[in-house]
Amino acid sequence: MNDHASLTVFERACRGLPRAHTPIWVMRQAGRYLPEYRALREEVDFLTATKTPEIAARITLQPMERFPLDAAILFSDIMTPLEAMGVPVEFAPGPVIQEPVRSAVQVARIRELVPEEGMPFVLDTIRIVRSELSADRAVIGFTGAPFTLFCYLVEGGGSKEFMWARRFLREEPEAAGALLDVLGRSMARYMVAQAEAGANAVMLFDSWVGLLGPAEYRRFVLPVLKRTVAEIRASTDRPIIYFANGGATLLEAVKELEVDVYGIDWTLPLSRAGATLGSSAVLQGNLDPAALFASEEDLRASIDAVLEEAKGLAGHVFNLGHGINRHTDPDRVALLVDHVHERTAGSFA
Ligand code: 1CP
């Protein structure tokens, strides 16, 4: 990309370029802590909301109207593409798969995703959001990373330990590898299609990768992720963000992924993540979502502590260290966004 002048503050931070302030967005910013989201959800169920571009775009824009956030994240779910790959998913409210994938025969039946055919509603949602949002604010497309989708597919839903999934890796390494492969190829195509529809950056959520140790991560996950990232990179120059939730012990391996931004959860100080990932690394994170329940004074101190940790980094996108809790007071989010902007204005000219 040559025309750096037209980049949003968010994209400039993703690329480590000079920027007017530290950009901020909040994981799960479009969701249940917002009264306007809850009101809309009384009229329409979650799946319908994600599959109707006008509604999904409205929900995506709800937090953008309320707060001066630097980026919108598409309202959808990491599980949404699975239906178009032949695996129906229900939400109750977490994802439920009636027939978990636990055999080579079932893996063979899974179809590679063709985003334009299977997910036109997501691409249309991105087009609407991009056309309605001002040019100085970014739109982030996203998907689940292959291992995290694998976890849900094999387990059949949420879990604390995902033992079925981790068992499948060991008992049927070939079938498990084939499943990870088709997920990786599909999610690469999905990310490219979202970028082509207008997403300014794309993010891979690896929510459950913290269940693995470094050796298992290197053996089962890293090769497929490297291919996924390379396939995205071959077709788009938009920044790629990789969030390895609970991945503090995996960072040496994560460093081998050629992504633009590494998402860091709240348990690892950003300076320590930066020391491992290298001086050119751009990080996203990582305020503890629970800090939004502290007194205003304490919250400001916690925000300042994250900014202090980020000082030596090549670039920093402020975020929580994981999704915002549904019981959070939206006024605290307003305070958070304003405080990050005020504290960092003019720091990186
Ligand atoms: O009742 C409702 O309103 C449904 C709750 C809900 C919402 C609002 C679900 C079900 N998904 C979402 C939206 C969503 N999910 C977004 C877009 C909104 C935003 O971020 O602003 C995104 C990015 C996700 C991503 C997602 N879904 C992840 C990765 C992020 C993370 O938290 O680690 C995961 C793991 C899911 C699965 C999922 N979907 C929904 C739930 C309740 C869950 C968690 C299930 C579990 O317990 O494992």
Side-chain angles (χ1 to χ4, degrees):
M1 185 162 302
N2 299 317
D3 191 11
H4 284 155
S6 65
L7 294 179
T8 59
V9 173
F10 168 82
E11 288 164 284
R12 298 183 72 83
C14 289
R15 295 177 185 282
L17 294 168
R19 51 217 177 259
H21 58 256
T22 293
I24 170 167
W25 70 280
V26 173
M27 284 191 269
R28 297 282 180 112
Q29 67 189 20
R32 286 184 287 185
Y33 74 105
L34 284 181
E36 54 270 37
Y37 173 79
R38 291 198 299 270
L40 209 146
R41 277 293 319 283
E42 272 173 31
E43 326 261 310
V44 51
D45 66 273
F46 180 71
L47 260 183
T48 308
T50 56
K51 288 186 180 177
T52 313
E54 293 71 24
I55 299 174
R58 265 289 45 77
I59 298 174
T60 303
L61 291 166
Q62 279 179 344
M64 305 308 287
E65 282 153 15
R66 207 186 239 267
F67 314 112
L69 291 156
D70 294 279
I73 181 147
L74 162 74
F75 179 76
S76 184
D77 194 79
I78 59 166
M79 309 296 287
T80 314
L82 298 180
E83 189 181 1
M85 298 177 69
V87 184
V89 181
E90 294 154 29
F91 287 89
V96 180
I97 292 165
Q98 293 299 351
E99 285 183 49
V101 179
R102 294 180 191 163
S103 71
V105 174
Q106 286 173 293
V107 171
R109 276 197 225 117
I110 295 193
R111 300 191 297 268
E112 186 168 325
L113 184 70
V114 183
E116 296 74 12
E117 285 169 21
M119 311 299 294
F121 47 89
V122 162
L123 305 180
D124 284 341
T125 302
I126 291 174
R127 289 184 189 105
I128 297 173
V129 172
R130 192 51 284 169
S131 72
E132 291 195 10
L133 203 60
S134 64
D136 58 345
R137 305 170 95 188
V139 179
I140 303 169
F142 76 91
T143 190
F147 177 71
T148 287
L149 292 176
F150 173 94
C151 281
Y152 284 104
L153 277 170
V154 179
E155 204 76 23
S159 162
K160 280 204 172 72
E161 301 208 321
F162 286 94
M163 188 48 86
W164 279 108
R166 286 155 60 210
R167 230 180 104 168
F168 194 50
L169 282 178
R170 308 291 184 151
E171 280 184 333
E172 304 240 21
E174 262 183 46
L179 180 53
L180 284 164
D181 258 356
V182 71
L183 287 167
R185 286 197 307 275
S186 298
M187 294 314 119
R189 292 177 77 162
Y190 190 37
M191 291 291 76
V192 171
Q194 290 189 34
E196 284 170 354
N200 300 88
V202 293
M203 173 154 166
L204 295 158
F205 283 91
D206 223 342
S207 306
W208 294 106
V209 83
L211 290 172
L212 300 177
E216 290 71 32
Y217 183 78
R218 282 188 183 278
R219 177 175 166 199
F220 297 113
V221 178
L222 193 59
V224 66
L225 260 176
K226 280 186 177 172
R227 287 198 292 276
T228 305
V229 169
E231 282 168 29
I232 301 171
R233 188 64 90 207
S235 297
T236 176
D237 63 357
R238 302 280 157 92
I240 304 171
I241 309 168
Y242 175 65
F243 176 50
N245 186 38
T249 64
L250 308 176
L251 284 194
E252 292 282 356
V254 164
K255 184 182 180 183
E256 293 180 22
L257 288 171
E258 290 185 11
V259 297
D260 300 273
V261 182
Y262 301 90
I264 306 295
D265 71 65
W266 75 89
T267 63
L268 183 66
L270 291 182
S271 63
R272 275 171 59 184
T276 307
L277 290 166
S279 58
S280 61
V282 175
L283 305 189
Q284 174 173 279
N286 70 343
L287 183 72
D288 180 351
L292 291 164
F293 294 90
S295 69
E296 293 192 4
E297 195 189 352
D298 195 358
L299 171 57
R300 283 194 195 94
S302 299
I303 298 166
D304 290 342
V306 172
L307 290 172
E308 193 58 38
E309 281 286 323
K311 269 197 174 142
L313 303 174
H316 178 216
V317 174
F318 204 105
N319 206 317
L320 302 185
H322 200 179
I324 189 168
N325 180 274
R326 60 181 297 192
H327 301 295
T328 308
D329 178 352
D331 288 344
R332 286 300 164 82
V333 178
L335 185 159
L336 165 66
V337 178
D338 287 344
H339 191 72
V340 168
H341 284 163
E342 282 163 19
R343 269 291 145 92
T344 60
S347 310
F348 314 100

